[in-house]
Amino acid sequence: MELDLTGKTALVSASTSGIGYAIAAQLLDDGANVIINGRNHETVATAVKHLANRFGEGRALPLVADLSTAAGATLASARYPDVDILINNMGTYALSDFFDTSDEDWQRMFEVNVWSGVRLARQYMKAMLDRGHGRVIFISSEVALTPMAAMAHYSASKATQLSISRSLAELTRGTAVTVNAGLPGPTETESLKEFI
């Protein structure tokens, strides 16, 4: 499917590699300007440079911020106040025995996988509703529907993303704003290769 996203601006959280990078590249190919996000200056600069070489200068825009934090979300909206497409891709995962998974492990999983998307949607979605158009997409996981005992905290965080996306979709009635969630399965990224 080909889309004409010329003139649109997309923010893809955690987009210097893996699924986020692939989404960013596709959006650029479809004509959008894309905010490339990561926590490290070097990785963001490298990703922006590679994408600029493929799609032209000035359309891959850097954002160095930890979007799992409130400060990171505030920085994002201050630097890039207008976003037409928000892809909540940021996520982490871990195998962990349920009885050994600490409160801190659960908290970190939800900060990254859930709170990052909640904060960004809160920052950007109201303006989308005011304009009457926009897209919000949460990159969830198949484990949201088929949870794994060895990844209980991860599975729960991904199921929560589904619930949030459905709740936010209810706010879009009568507009051309949509909120959806994608549920990919295991994807052969560099981080997955390191994980296994």
Side-chain angles (χ1 to χ4, degrees), residues 62-74:
L63 173 63
V64 179
D66 182 354
L67 297 180
S68 71
T69 67
T74 300

Side-chain angles (χ1 to χ4, degrees), residues 9-92:
T9 299
L11 167 58
V12 183
S13 63
S15 47
T16 60
S17 63
I19 292 172
Y21 183 87
I23 292 170
Q26 185 61 58
L27 289 167
L28 285 160
D29 195 43
D30 289 333
N33 299 316
V34 181
I35 301 162
I36 306 301
N37 164 246
R39 292 175 291 191
N40 177 284
H41 284 275
E42 184 177 345
T43 57
V44 171
T46 299
V48 167
K49 180 180 178 182
H50 288 161
L51 292 166
N53 288 340
R54 287 177 62 188
F55 301 106
E57 295 288 335
R59 293 181 46 226
L61 310 168
L63 173 63
V64 179
D66 182 354
L67 297 180
S68 71
T69 67
T74 300
L75 190 155
S77 62
R79 178 94 184 268
Y80 299 105
D82 296 313
V83 165
D84 302 290
I85 302 163
L86 171 62
I87 311 290
N88 287 313
N89 170 68
M90 184 177 208
T92 188

